[in-house]
Amino acid sequence: GVTTIAYKPERLIKERDLPQADYRHGVDYLTRFLEYREHMLREYLDSGRGQQAATMIKTVIRFNRRAIDQMVDEWKEELR
C-alpha cells in the first residue's frame, strides 16, 4: 500500500541557470546511480533474501560495473 507521487517542478532548471560550480555532467549522475544500484543489490544478496535470483542479480552487478568502467574511461578520454 505504498505510493510514490512525483510533482512537476514549478520551474525547470536549465543548464545556463546553474552557476558553473554547481553544474555536474550527466556522466557523474549516471555513475552514482549505477554505484548506488550495485550497492543495493549486493546488500540484498548479502542479506540472504536474494538467493532465488542470485544469478540474475550477479549478472546485473557485472553489467553495472562494466557500464561504470566504460563511462569513466570515455569521460577521461573526453577530457583529454
Side-chain angles (χ1 to χ4, degrees):
V2 177
T3 303
T4 302
I5 299 173
Y7 294 99
K8 288 185 177 182
E10 293 177 14
R11 181 174 78 83
L12 294 177
I13 297 174
K14 306 250 189 275
E15 180 182 338
R16 67 179 180 275
D17 296 335
L18 295 174
Q20 193 59 34
D22 292 341
Y23 178 73
R24 295 186 58 101
H25 197 276
V27 171
D28 294 334
Y29 290 107
L30 288 172
T31 302
R32 294 300 294 160
F33 167 73
L34 291 172
E35 288 171 344
Y36 174 75
R37 185 167 74 172
E38 181 178 332
H39 169 76
M40 295 304 294
L41 288 170
R42 285 186 191 282
E43 267 194 11
Y44 186 67
L45 270 181
D46 292 345
S47 73
R49 293 177 295 182
Q51 296 311 310
Q52 292 176 338
T55 302
M56 181 187 72
I57 292 170
K58 289 175 184 177
T59 300
V60 172
I61 289 171
R62 279 195 309 276
F63 282 143
N64 268 7
R65 180 57 33 206
R66 289 188 355 220
I68 290 168
D69 292 344
Q70 182 179 354
M71 283 190 303
V72 169
D73 289 346
E74 288 177 7
W75 179 240
K76 287 179 184 174
E77 186 66 32
E78 206 173 289
L79 291 175
R80 290 183 189 170

